[in-house]
Amino acid sequence: MPDEPTTLGEVVRRFDDRFLAVREDIQQLVVMLDKKVSQEVYDLRHEVLAERVRALEVQREKDAALREKDAEKIVATRRWLIGAVVVPLVGVVVPLIVILLQGGRS
């Protein structure tokens, strides 16, 4: 069998090759682990993100309440405008029109 080492030197050389391959694999694992985020950092980031989302939701609810109040103010302003301006104006203009129409008939 040609794959089997025939001398002790060849056995040592193959063992060294395997040992170097394992060492390189371990170094690659160390590099990969250095790139990973620890669980504590991940948890902290997750908590901060969750807090930001909660803050945005609260702000959105406040904005919705403000928009609703603004809409109510607009409706109240329209009612005031109709009651304070349009109705008295009609109350003055309609009698004038009636008087003018009756005056033209006499």
Side-chain angles (χ1 to χ4, degrees):
M1 290 191 179
D3 287 347
E4 292 186 17
T6 55
T7 64
L8 188 56
E10 193 173 340
V11 170
V12 171
R13 185 181 55 78
R14 286 188 181 184
F15 180 76
D16 285 343
D17 289 343
R18 299 283 185 233
F19 183 71
L20 288 174
V22 169
R23 180 177 280 174
E24 289 172 1
D25 291 344
I26 290 173
Q27 287 175 348
Q28 289 175 356
L29 286 173
V30 168
V31 168
M32 288 173 49
L33 286 174
D34 286 342
K35 292 180 182 178
K36 296 292 180 186
V37 176
S38 67
Q39 185 65 39
E40 293 85 17
V41 172
Y42 176 80
D43 290 341
L44 286 174
R45 286 181 179 174
H46 184 72
E47 289 174 14
V48 169
L49 183 60
E51 183 61 33
R52 288 178 64 190
V53 168
R54 280 191 291 274
L56 288 173
E57 288 174 347
V58 168
Q59 185 62 41
R60 184 183 57 146
E61 290 173 3
K62 288 180 181 178
D63 291 345
L66 287 175
R67 282 193 299 274
E68 186 175 320
K69 286 181 182 179
D70 288 344
E72 290 172 2
K73 286 181 182 179
I74 290 172
V75 169
T77 303
R78 286 180 185 160
R79 287 181 182 160
W80 176 85
L81 182 64
I82 290 170
V85 176
V86 174
V87 171
L89 187 62
V90 169
V92 170
V93 171
V94 169
L96 286 174
I97 293 174
V98 170
I99 290 173
L100 289 174
L101 290 177
Q102 286 178 355
R105 290 184 191 162
S106 343

